[in-house]
Amino acid sequence: MQGTVRSISYHFLRAARLSGSVRMSIHTISPPSAALLQPLNIPQRLMLGPGPSNVPPRVQAAGGQQVIGHMHPETFQIMDDIKLGIQYAFQTKNTLTLAVSGSGHCAMETAIFNVVEKGDIVLVASNGIWGERAADIAQRIGAVVHLLTKPPGEGFNLKEIEQGLAKYKPSLFFITHGESSSGVVQPLDGIGDLCHRYSCLLLVDSVASLGGAPIYMDKQGIDILYSGSQKVLNAPPGTAPISFSEAASKKIFSRKTKPPSLYVDLTWLSNYWGCDGKPRIYHHTGPVTNFYSLREGLAILAEKGLERSWEIHRENALRLYKGLEDLGLKLFVKDPTLRLPTVTTISVPEGYDWKDITSYVMKNHSIEITGGLGPSTGKVLRIGLMGYNSTKTNVDRVLNALRDALQHCPKNKM
């Protein structure tokens, strides 16, 4: 009997092998692309657009370390370090503080998806693209969205905001601290108090401003604050700091329906980031090497100190403003108190095509500057001085490149 079984097993195995060889013979393998057989070549560029910014050697070295498991205790320790770094950068003591595995856009969705339910009223201050995006996201999940709108280059005052809160009675108010599409830094003092007076949570986007302009989450009464890794923190894009007040957390964990995205569901993320006091369980595979980089970016900011970082960005922005005006260029944001120190907007000089200028600067000086975005498209040039890139040397380099471009780019004299 045993011999018979062995004989049958042999014949089945032989038939399977023959069948496999037949299948292999009737399928051909497409050759790999020739491009993949060439070495990777990354050009050396000075990234002086609105982001991402250049990554300093220390952060590059951190990101190049070997991968370890996303559930290893050493990774959890790095994540704990990141939480402490975010709490310092945000100036908050919030327990629910973490970094979303994604860009600043992902943090925006995390905030709105977790705090807003279908039928909730959301008020959005829009003076650039980020207000437009927040409104779009909230509308997609069934919120009733109302807009406070200003032209690019302008900010909002407390009276305008209070009128909107009184009229629409929202549960959430969104405003951008650093509007990178128009170069505006929004004053935040008093907005949190207004929102809370009207039983409304305050959500602030600080992707382009964190570390470059003063912000105090707890003292300014901000309920939800998020940022990005690729601006002043000088880490690669892909992780986004975010924090929630006790009031925001209460709303999140008492909602009637599940958030529309499991990936950014804070019930899961709060556990993965050790915010709920329970043993951590698997939710998703965190971007471990990005955690290394973000940790080092936050460590550099902590070593430098927030006040010194704010001062450096202000000093270099002022140096840039003077140099631009000496070239005969006009700053797009007229009110000096509303100029974002990290991203400067310049009115496109009369007679020039902005694309000619940005292309010339890239081709001849290997420097990235960009045109406008969203409502500012065609109206501005944008220069970013963020973190590692905010230096006097870089200010002088970009001014020299612009001077050269204005001399050589075609100008329409009509």
Side-chain angles (χ1 to χ4, degrees), residues 90-91 188-189 214-222 307 310:
F90 283 8
Q91 288 296 284
L188 295 175
D189 286 344
I215 192 166
Y216 305 87
M217 184 172 189
D218 289 354
K219 290 180 180 178
Q220 291 175 322
I222 301 169
E307 290 183 335
W310 296 336

Side-chain angles (χ1 to χ4, degrees), residues 292-338:
Y292 305 164
S293 300
L294 177 59
R295 191 269 181 199
E296 286 303 278
L298 288 163
I300 291 169
L301 179 62
E303 291 164 9
K304 183 179 294 180
L306 276 172
E307 290 183 335
R308 180 57 185 148
S309 182
W310 296 336
E311 183 182 8
I312 289 170
H313 285 85
R314 180 178 176 276
E315 289 173 353
N316 289 322
L318 290 173
R319 183 183 183 92
L320 177 61
Y321 301 160
K322 184 180 184 304
L324 293 169
E325 289 172 340
D326 288 346
L327 290 176
L329 297 170
K330 296 179 181 179
L331 297 171
F332 183 69
V333 180
K334 304 307 178 189
D335 185 345
T337 65
L338 295 181

Side-chain angles (χ1 to χ4, degrees), residues 216-231:
Y216 305 87
M217 184 172 189
D218 289 354
K219 290 180 180 178
Q220 291 175 322
I222 301 169
D223 292 293
I224 310 163
L225 181 64
Y226 66 86
S227 191
S229 57
Q230 74 276 18
K231 310 280 187 172

